[in-house]
Amino acid sequence: MEMTNLTALSLAEEIRKKNITPTEAVHAFFEKARQSRLNCYTSLDLESALADAKEVEIRLQNGEKLSPLAGVPVAIKDNICEKGKVTSAGSRMLKDFIPPYDATVITKVKNAGMIPLGKTNMDEFAMGWSTETSAYGVTKNPWDMTRVAGGSSGGSAAAVAAGESVLALGSDTGGSIRQPCAFCGVTGLKATYGAVSRYGLIAFASSLDTIGTVGRDAADCAALFDIIRGADDKDLTTLSVPESQPLTDLNGVKIAVLGDCTKQAKELVNLGAVCEEIALPELRYAVSAYYIIACAEASSNLARYDGVKYGYRNRDAEALDEMYVLSRSEGFGTEVKKRIMLGNFVLSAGYFDDYYRKALRVKRILCDAFAKVFERYDMILSPVTEGAAYQIGAAPENLFLSDWYTAAVNLAGLPALALPCGFDSEGLPLGVQLIGKPFREKVLLSAGKIYQSATDYHTKRPKVNDEL
């Protein structure tokens, strides 16, 4: 099998057996990405990746004990800071920003012997559903290049699906890992809030943002999550909790089913699970609460980009206030401006109690509703979105409602695993998600492994990839 079609764990095994070197792996994925027309990456750094690969080879030769993913390349979403490398969050505002430090997750993957390959495309400041808001242009879906790859982590999901990377890091604020994974037919983990350090992640909404994994299958995601998880002194919202015990089978596992997942529920029942349909009426408030909270926090987080310390600056302004206005007007895209304006509105005097405070109450109600479900069930099965990837430039009118099932998970701070679950009538991938109790990622990931051992949706590769 071609190297770029291997799973990450299989590639790592070949590296351990010395059948493949890390340098060869870097060259293979770099060449695939260089020739691609999908626009998965905002930047690729072959020189740095080859230097890292050589270092890993020396560490392996010296018998240093590294992770099970040592020597494996990994793509990095463009909002995760990497020392000395442009990290722009898909925005003109940060097109020349070079961080002076590594995010904690970057430090961890490098220490584990993994090799950052490049920065993946994303919606500007993670605000969008399709990478169409990116200053670098849209990422195309490898299953159909006329369709979106999803967002905001569209570049990460498309890169893994197309064999331009075997693993990727992404971020998820309201579904930004799970939705593109569903659209691109790959597996993605949104971790519990506090399970992975956000230090070095360019903030969108600080109480909702999480860093997670994108891989070919649940086993790859589990291996990468093991590397990046854990408390961090640089991020006091992280927690150190005992690892949950993985499942060995699904016999007797109780799964609550939300939405139209009949086929997938039957597949899980065949594996021994007990699936029961439930109603969660509180979900109808989730999207409204999510956008109020997310936009409020975004308006605060993005206030720092004023053209003074770093970021885009208009050079023609003659006064300080004019520089502020022109720098932000020219540096931010339309979607980001809309969300900043909405955030400023809901935080303004006279509207704070009517909107923001009520949204926080809804967040608490959703947390309580999920907790009540988990008193009876081990996990929840739901769709990621209502359908497959849509055409580029033809977003559905009810686009905000596409976050119906995903945003509630972020509001409640829960872990969720997106899994490929089939294809629509046009051959486009579909995905479902398993939602778990806080810090029970290993339970979800092991359930995903069991599901994928009995199905082959995750093994399918896009045919358009052969033409790239």
Side-chain angles (χ1 to χ4, degrees):
M1 180 182 286
E2 185 181 347
M3 188 191 311
T4 56
N5 285 331
L6 294 172
T7 65
L9 288 170
S10 297
L11 176 59
E13 179 65 21
E14 293 300 310
I15 289 171
R16 280 194 296 275
K17 291 178 179 177
K18 300 184 179 179
N19 294 330
I20 297 172
T21 67
T23 296
E24 290 171 338
V26 166
H27 274 297
F29 286 104
F30 179 86
E31 197 59 28
K32 201 75 169 280
R34 187 185 66 81
Q35 296 178 15
S36 173
R37 292 180 287 121
L38 296 176
N39 196 30
C40 295
Y41 288 88
T42 60
S43 64
L44 286 161
D45 192 338
L46 179 61
E47 183 179 350
S48 174
L50 289 176
D52 289 342
K54 288 293 184 185
E55 182 180 332
V56 172
E57 288 170 10
I58 292 170
R59 293 169 71 187
L60 290 171
Q61 289 168 4
N62 291 340
E64 186 176 337
K65 188 176 181 181
L66 299 175
S67 80
L69 292 177
V72 173
V74 57
I76 311 296
K77 189 175 179 180
D78 194 27
N79 59 350
I80 299 174
C81 290
E82 199 171 347
K83 185 177 181 179
K85 298 182 182 179
V86 172
T87 304
S88 72
S91 178
R92 185 185 183 195
M93 180 62 77
L94 291 176
K95 66 183 179 67
D96 298 319
F97 173 59
I98 300 177
Y101 65 96
D102 280 334
T104 295
V105 292
I106 298 297
T107 300
K108 288 187 172 185
V109 297
K110 286 182 176 179
N111 288 343
M114 299 188 72
I115 304 163
L117 191 62
K119 293 300 182 72
T120 56
N121 199 17
M122 58 178 285
D123 285 292
E124 185 181 11
F125 283 100
M127 299 180 196
W129 306 263
S130 59
T131 72
E132 288 175 291
T133 71
S134 171
Y136 299 88
V138 65
T139 295
K140 299 166 186 173
N141 193 309
W143 292 86
D144 179 347
M145 292 179 64
T146 68
R147 296 178 184 266
V148 300
S152 62
S153 305
S156 290
V160 172
E164 296 179 28
S165 182
V166 67
L167 277 171
L169 290 177
S171 67
D172 192 310
T173 306
S176 289
I177 287 176
R178 290 159 289 158
Q179 183 250 36
C181 283
F183 280 4
C184 293
V186 293
T187 305
L189 174 69
K190 179 260 175 216
T192 307
Y193 186 82
V196 178
S197 173
R198 291 180 295 111
Y199 177 75
L201 174 69
I202 295 174
F204 165 12
S206 301
S207 73
L208 306 173
D209 296 340
T210 54
I211 293 177
T213 64
V214 179
R216 297 262 166 82
D217 58 25
D220 283 359
C221 284
L224 182 52
F225 175 69
D226 275 343
I227 291 171
I228 64 172
R229 69 185 293 272
D232 178 18
D233 291 341
K234 295 174 181 175
D235 177 4
L236 298 183
T237 64
T238 56
L239 295 171
S240 181
V241 297
E243 290 190 37
S244 57
Q245 290 301 310
L247 302 171
T248 55
D249 57 56
L250 294 182
N251 292 330
V253 173
K254 297 191 69 176
I255 301 177
V257 181
L258 277 173
D260 184 12
C261 296
T262 305
K263 174 189 165 190
Q264 294 75 35
K266 287 181 179 177
E267 290 171 332
L268 291 167
V269 167
N270 290 338
L271 292 168
V274 177
C275 292
E276 297 176 357
E277 292 187 8
I278 66 163
L280 198 62
E282 293 84 357
L283 276 183
R284 67 181 181 270
Y285 306 118
V287 172
S288 298
Y290 166 76
Y291 278 101
I292 289 171
I293 293 170
C295 291
E297 294 184 9
S299 69
S300 177
N301 281 325
L302 272 60
R304 70 193 70 176
Y305 305 113
D306 55 11
V308 177
K309 298 182 183 68
Y310 59 94
Y312 175 81
R313 175 188 291 188
N314 178 282
R315 301 290 177 180
D316 299 324
E318 296 180 356
L320 184 62
D321 57 351
E322 185 184 10
M323 187 197 72
Y324 289 158
V325 171
L326 291 177
S327 295
R328 288 171 67 81
S329 297
E330 296 167 6
F332 291 133
T334 302
E335 185 65 32
V336 172
K337 291 175 190 174
K338 286 194 296 187
R339 299 196 192 198
I340 290 173
M341 290 174 66
L342 178 58
N344 287 336
F345 172 76
V346 300
L347 290 176
S348 62
Y351 296 100
F352 183 89
D353 288 334
D354 288 341
Y355 292 99
Y356 187 67
R357 197 180 297 278
K358 282 183 180 177
L360 292 180
R361 291 185 191 132
V362 169
K363 182 179 180 180
R364 182 70 262 167
I365 289 169
L366 279 166
C367 289
D368 292 342
F370 275 114
K372 205 166 185 180
V373 172
F374 287 127
E375 288 175 2
R376 295 184 55 203
Y377 298 94
D378 300 299
M379 60 189 74
I380 300 169
L381 173 71
S382 87
V384 173
T385 63
E386 291 292 348
Y390 52 85
Q391 292 281 336
I392 294 172
E397 291 183 8
N398 61 345
L399 190 56
F400 282 88
L401 294 179
S402 65
D403 297 327
W404 181 273
Y405 292 106
T406 55
V409 176
N410 294 77
L411 288 169
L414 300 172
L417 178 68
L419 298 163
C421 68
F423 299 87
D424 72 359
S425 59
E426 297 182 73
L428 296 169
L430 299 169
V432 291
Q433 63 178 344
L434 290 173
I435 305 166
K437 300 174 183 179
F439 299 100
R440 295 298 182 265
E441 282 85 0
K442 287 206 169 183
V443 173
L444 289 184
L445 288 161
S446 56
K449 291 178 192 177
I450 295 166
Y451 177 75
Q452 291 182 334
S453 71
T455 60
D456 64 354
Y457 311 121
H458 64 290
T459 67
K460 306 297 184 185
R461 299 285 180 263
K463 293 180 181 179
V464 71
N465 187 37
D466 299 331
E467 303 168 8
L468 300 180

